[in-house]
Amino acid sequence: MTFTILKTAKRLAVTAALSASVLLVGCGAGDDEVLKVGVIAGPEADVMRVAVELAEKQHGIDVELVEFSDYISPNVALADGSIDVNAFQHRPYLESMVRDRGFELVAVGNTFVYPIAAYSKKLTDISELQDGAKIAIPNDPSNEGRALILLDQRGFIKLKDINNLEATPVDIVENPRNFEFIELDAAQLPRSLDDVDLAIINNTYAIPAGFTPTEHGLLVEDEDSPYVNIIVARDDNDDDPRVVALVSSYQSDVVEAKADELFKGSSVAGWN
């Protein structure tokens, strides 16, 4: 599976930029500059720590992780310069934030696909789902559409356009089993499982709550998902040699192994 995100010109410049980063450190320029990287607290942050250690060791850059607990703040912090790069979102989410808020942010590299999945504390098999069931879904742009597309693909509902990555419940044209959709902040979804029949949860919040798609998912997104996560910078620092070095360190075997360990085999490297 191959995902292409880097601009062609930037891809051709990667080797030169990495060489420049070595020269930058060797000459002492920028030694006191810390690259601030925004991540969501939890397993994804732990994966990034491996990349940071590799970048510091191989490229001599100084990196600080800044942890967030929601999906909005990392892009706000990146746009206002509080951090230099972030790694938590997929391209459809980035595009919605750029469009809606006018952020001048760009993708600089792929990380992983973390399949979204449906979980339940009341059901042991999806065949047990009853008519009129309460289904909790994320309320943020694109992830809500991602959840609804999963239900459409499995035949539970029909959307006006299954290719609309930002679909919401108003785009459901057929709901023959009268499911009730409850829109919640993604971080609240694991806690909602006591009150709903099914919740569709991102791995960012499923893993810390003790759920994995491969073991507990009643419905699991296919591995050919378009929702590969990305590393994002501002358009005024996307060619910073330190950013290029971080991307190179992230897209490594050691990082892939760490993600496989933490996500229990449910992560798919998006750069291979």
Side-chain angles (χ1 to χ4, degrees):
M1 173 176 53
T2 301
F3 299 90
T4 302
I5 286 185
L6 288 176
K7 301 173 185 176
T8 300
K10 293 292 172 58
R11 187 183 296 277
L12 294 174
V14 168
T15 301
L18 284 173
S19 298
S21 71
V22 174
L23 290 174
L24 179 70
V25 174
C27 293
D31 284 339
D32 58 347
E33 301 234 356
V34 177
L35 185 72
K36 295 184 178 181
V37 181
V39 292
I40 300 296
E44 290 181 47
D46 293 334
V47 172
M48 179 58 79
R49 286 189 181 90
V50 176
V52 166
E53 291 173 3
L54 193 59
E56 291 177 336
K57 180 180 179 180
Q58 292 188 345
H59 303 290
I61 62 175
D62 190 5
V63 184
E64 175 188 345
L65 286 189
V66 180
E67 298 189 5
F68 297 90
S69 60
D70 68 276
Y71 285 161
I72 304 295
S73 300
N75 279 335
V76 173
L78 180 57
D80 69 20
S82 299
I83 60 176
D84 303 298
V85 67
N86 66 41
F88 76 98
Q89 64 197 310
H90 48 63
R91 178 173 282 277
Y93 183 79
L94 172 65
E95 290 175 347
S96 70
M97 292 289 281
V98 167
R99 183 185 62 250
D100 296 343
R101 298 190 177 223
F103 292 153
E104 297 180 341
L105 308 179
V106 294
V108 294
N110 292 355
T111 61
F112 294 92
V113 176
Y114 297 109
I116 200 170
Y119 303 95
S120 178
K121 286 187 177 180
K122 301 177 180 179
L123 313 176
T124 58
D125 189 89
I126 196 63
S127 63
E128 301 169 5
L129 190 65
Q130 299 294 309
D131 292 356
K134 294 181 178 180
I135 301 177
I137 57 176
N139 66 1
D140 57 274
S142 74
N143 281 318
E144 184 166 44
R146 187 179 185 183
L148 294 174
I149 288 171
L150 176 62
L151 291 170
D152 187 319
Q153 289 173 334
R154 300 301 188 271
F156 289 98
I157 61 171
K158 184 173 179 57
L159 294 169
K160 186 185 306 180
D161 178 7
I162 195 172
N163 296 311
N164 178 12
L165 302 183
E166 296 183 14
T168 70
V170 299
D171 296 303
I172 298 172
V173 292
E174 293 182 20
N175 181 14
R177 299 181 61 182
N178 296 314
F179 295 131
E180 177 183 351
F181 292 99
I182 301 170
E183 301 166 276
L184 297 173
D185 181 83
Q188 298 177 10
L189 289 168
R191 295 193 294 273
S192 76
L193 285 170
D194 290 327
D195 304 310
V196 301
D197 300 290
L198 197 72
I200 301 179
I201 310 174
N202 304 65
N203 264 0
T204 300
Y205 298 109
I207 296 293
F211 301 102
T212 62
T214 50
E215 186 175 353
H216 306 103
L218 301 186
L219 293 174
V220 182
E221 192 174 45
D222 294 334
E223 289 186 353
D224 61 355
S225 163
Y227 294 93
V228 60
N229 277 18
I230 50 181
I231 298 173
V232 176
R234 292 184 302 279
D235 65 358
D236 64 358
N237 76 334
D238 60 333
D239 58 354
D240 184 327
R242 300 171 304 159
V243 172
V244 178
L246 178 68
V247 172
S248 176
S249 297
Y250 196 103
Q251 295 176 343
S252 62
D253 291 343
V254 65
V255 170
E256 185 174 359
K258 186 64 175 180
D260 186 69
E261 172 196 335
L262 292 177
F263 288 93
K264 305 184 189 305
S266 64
S267 61
V268 181
W271 62 87
N272 294 331

